[in-house]
Amino acid sequence: MLNSRKFIIRMILIALFVGTMSRNHEQVHAQGGIVVEDAKVEINFGRTIIFTAKIRSSIPIQQASLLFRGVNEEATRVEMVEVASDGSVSFTYDASLNVLPPFSWVVFWYQATLTDDQTYTSAPISFPYNDERFPWRESSRANVIVHWYAGDDAFGASAMDAAGAGLLALNEIIPLSLSDPIDIYIYSNATDLQSTLLIGGEEWVGGQASPKTGVVLVAIAPGESQVIEMENTIPHELTHVILYQALREKYFLQPRWLLEGLASMVERYPNPDYANALEIASQNDSLLSFDDLCASFPADAGNAYLAYAQSQSFVTYIRDTYGIPGLTRLIEEYGNGYPCELGATNALGAPLNQLEARWRENVLGEDLVEVAVRNLLPFVLLLVLALLVPLWGAIDLLRQRRKRGNNS
């Protein structure tokens, strides 16, 4: 069951959404000519959602439709429904093919066109699309609710402590409002989490944050290493939700390397393998350009891992060099819609490529002159070959002329 605070906040949000919906439907005689009774949903998570109701009207119904969508989705699904003689309707939605985000809220309503050729719309109804395959327990503190199904009370308390530590670290970077509810769902293994993410159309197994819905999904097994995993994974994913709550739509204007760098930076125990990955990439001259990491990370696992390692190191370098105010300015400038290069220039006085060069020198110890020479060497060799061929031809032609002159 949802606690009262969480329930009240969500009901306010839903009421605001319903108010907007009602205003939009005034043009089709909102709610005037039909009455919807016994509207219900039966959820088989990841498989089906069965919608049932009875639509009553004082005059015959020509056709009727079920309309529904996630509260954070822009597209509305529209499905025609058959109205039985007693007014009952039923529709089964295939949730295995047409995915909805796990633990999101879904709103639905009915429309009916009557024999007076007028279309009438019912009031919206909402429901949570929760993963009820597991016996969830929960613990709450302020606006944060931790859910888990494996482990004892101490497990839940440790998870809450990890979330609190993450919030304290984030509060040093960006002011926290902590007004919206945040739900952290802890699966006991990667397989269970993976099945949920696949149901939601995702493939990443380590964890996931849904900033708009305020939901964090992670996989942590009870055991000796649970605290370390919690203090890394939970703050990382929590960062995305908190940043969205602070920035709203400006969150999506932030470079990917900045978002993931901030999330990695608040982890209690930095990944020790990141330094090794950076060293190897630096030696092999295979570091990724931060300009290429602004919009997205690579799809292949190897380069994606390197992208996370670079982002954590680069954002930490910016913090150490420009302080928390520098990071704050960077977030603000990108939130104003400036592109990657210009946003860095406005915030820190140096374009992104120059910051990257300084990071490579100061953190990775690269000699950029040597790197430049190494990078240009293949082109220099090609240029030399391109010049040698005609030069050799000219020398050979001169020899032949001298030979003919001597023979004559």
Side-chain angles (χ1 to χ4, degrees), residues 186-227:
I186 305 176
Y187 289 80
S188 67
N189 57 77
T191 301
D192 287 351
L193 174 60
Q194 178 72 357
S195 69
T196 302
L197 295 181
L198 289 174
I199 287 170
E202 302 290 342
E203 296 182 357
W204 187 253
V205 298
Q208 185 203 51
S210 179
K212 282 190 174 183
T213 59
V215 172
V216 167
L217 308 179
V218 296
I220 301 172
E224 295 180 356
S225 63
Q226 69 182 36
V227 173

Side-chain angles (χ1 to χ4, degrees), residues 37 45 65 76 79 81 86 108 138 153 179 199 208 241-242 245 251 257 263 279 304 349 376:
E37 300 174 341
F45 184 78
S65 302
T76 299
E79 302 290 346
V81 292
D86 63 349
F108 70 99
E138 70 175 46
D153 290 344
S179 57
I199 287 170
Q208 185 203 51
V241 174
I242 294 298
Q245 290 185 356
Y251 170 89
W257 58 261
E279 182 179 359
L376 290 174

Side-chain angles (χ1 to χ4, degrees), residues 131-138 147-151 185-187 192:
D131 183 359
E132 299 295 353
R133 297 174 300 168
F134 304 98
W136 296 104
R137 303 174 62 189
E138 70 175 46
H147 310 257
W148 76 101
Y149 59 86
Y185 288 88
I186 305 176
Y187 289 80
D192 287 351

